[in-house]
Amino acid sequence: MPKPLLMDHDGAIDDLLSQLLVLTMPDVELIGVTVTPADCYIEPALESAYKLLQLMGREQVPLGRGDYYGINAFPSEWRARPEIINALPLLINLPKSPDPYGYLSAPDLIIRQLSTATEKVTILMTGPCSNLVMALEKAPELKAAIAEIVWMGGAFRTTGNVQTFQHDGTAEWNVFWDPVCSQKLFSYELPLTLIPLDVTNHVPVTKKFLSTLASQIDHKLSNLTGQFWALTLDTIPSYHYTYFMWDILATSYLAMPEQFMIETAKANVSTRPPNAGQTYLDENGYTIRFATDVNVAYFYEYLLAQFRQ
């Protein structure tokens, strides 16, 4: 039987690619998607999420709208990418999406889906964790309904990817966006597996991968995902930043956990400058699991196979 999954993402290109990847997984039943207005503007991101559900014949999957805007905003130029996604040839002429303000709030949708699930639910987060934390603050009894939380977040034995004023560069963006909720999530000591920069740094978006994907262009999903990834090449100036498969690596963990090296440790989150959002190992902290390595060749082959469907 497919395992029930709730997905919370923040509408960036790699989040939307991750949603597509989930929709190709036969062992996963997607029971809801919530969108956080972090690395996106919420209206076009909800449109993108709905269009991808339509494309895969899954528009019955409920969507939830995040209304909370975090503590440390993503750069505006990064947040506009869903506008471009919605104009791609395979998506632009799909039937009109619902009113983005007609959706249930993201925490309320999480509460509804967890409280009505007939078995424990896995939660995949490829953006900040705020929607989940706000849901559990409101209904703490639902912690018992969670099988595992898989979160693309953190940086433990490597530098972070936040480059901004009053910050020392130790944090990863999904945690930095809301360090307070991130620290709360750690404190719950739920079954939490992080896919941090330590391992996502092993899987860049390379021209070689894109070239191989393009050789499958007759497959609809290879065509579309190739267009998505092509849009990442100018997202961030390449002389100081490389686009990695952050979210999609975390998503692949659902299908191939045995291909990851996982460490259990005590850790914590800093909530204030100059290292707000830093995830650090701390013997007095909270028990979490985090990935340190992955079978890189297997991962790339897995993506190519899934997008040949």
Side-chain angles (χ1 to χ4, degrees):
M1 287 287 291
K3 295 181 179 180
L5 176 77
L6 270 173
M7 181 177 187
D8 188 290
H9 68 67
D10 65 337
I13 290 174
D14 51 343
D15 297 89
L16 297 170
L17 283 161
S18 297
Q19 182 182 321
L20 263 180
L21 183 60
V22 164
L23 291 167
T24 71
M25 293 180 175
D27 296 330
V28 168
E29 180 193 0
L30 186 60
I31 63 170
V33 177
T34 51
V35 182
T36 300
D39 198 8
C40 68
Y41 291 101
I42 192 66
E43 298 86 357
L46 283 167
E47 182 181 353
S48 297
Y50 183 76
K51 283 178 179 288
L52 295 184
L53 292 174
Q54 280 187 311
L55 187 74
M56 301 295 284
R58 299 290 300 282
E59 56 264 49
Q60 78 280 4
V61 174
L63 285 168
R65 185 193 68 253
D67 292 318
Y68 171 66
Y69 281 81
I71 295 171
N72 301 300
F74 275 81
S76 296
E77 60 270 24
W78 298 3
R79 298 176 65 198
R81 304 308 274 187
E83 291 279 14
I84 302 170
I85 295 297
N86 293 331
L88 292 176
L90 280 172
L91 301 180
I92 192 168
N93 291 325
L94 290 176
K96 184 173 172 57
S97 302
D99 175 3
Y101 294 96
Y103 293 119
L104 203 61
S105 79
D108 286 346
L109 181 65
I110 291 170
I111 289 170
R112 188 186 80 183
Q113 299 306 90
L114 285 178
S115 61
T116 58
T118 56
E119 61 181 289
K120 288 193 174 187
V121 175
T122 299
I123 295 175
L124 170 67
M125 299 185 299
T126 58
C129 66
S130 310
N131 286 331
L132 175 62
V133 170
M134 288 188 291
L136 295 178
E137 293 276 284
K138 194 172 178 179
E141 70 278 5
L142 292 177
K143 292 173 185 175
I146 296 172
E148 182 180 16
I149 300 165
V150 179
W151 186 21
M152 192 279 114
F156 291 94
R157 297 191 183 101
T158 188
T159 55
N161 60 4
V162 172
Q163 299 174 7
T164 190
F165 297 102
Q166 290 191 299
H167 202 279
D168 63 7
T170 55
E172 180 276 324
W173 262 105
N174 284 342
V175 183
F176 175 64
W177 190 80
D178 187 355
V180 174
C181 278
S182 301
Q183 204 277 336
K184 285 181 180 177
L185 181 63
F186 273 43
S187 75
Y188 296 158
E189 293 201 293
L190 289 165
L192 174 62
T193 302
L194 287 99
I195 310 298
L197 300 184
D198 305 59
V199 64
T200 63
N201 285 346
H202 300 177
V203 286
V205 178
T206 65
K207 292 281 186 71
K208 179 182 178 182
F209 172 79
L210 294 183
S211 176
T212 306
L213 185 64
S215 72
Q216 306 178 170
I217 200 168
D218 290 341
H219 297 271
K220 179 171 67 175
L221 292 185
S222 292
N223 190 336
L224 182 61
T225 56
Q227 293 177 43
F228 273 42
W229 267 306
L231 293 172
T232 69
L233 297 183
D234 71 340
T235 300
I236 303 161
S238 60
Y239 55 83
H240 76 272
Y241 215 92
T242 301
Y243 205 95
F244 291 91
M245 295 195 180
W246 299 287
D247 297 346
I248 208 158
L249 181 66
T251 303
S252 75
Y253 173 82
L254 300 173
M256 48 179 245
E258 72 284 351
Q259 301 298 326
F260 286 77
M261 185 175 294
I262 302 291
E263 181 175 328
T264 300
K266 296 274 192 178
N268 214 328
V269 181
S270 173
T271 58
R272 59 190 184 187
N275 63 328
Q278 181 187 11
T279 52
Y280 59 94
L281 301 177
D282 175 8
E283 62 183 19
N284 298 313
Y286 305 101
T287 301
I288 56 105
R289 301 169 75 242
F290 70 98
T292 58
D293 205 354
V294 66
N295 183 334
V296 173
Y298 189 101
F299 165 70
Y300 285 122
E301 285 300 320
Y302 171 74
L303 287 188
L304 291 167
Q306 291 304 104
F307 293 138
R308 280 196 296 270
Q309 293 186 35

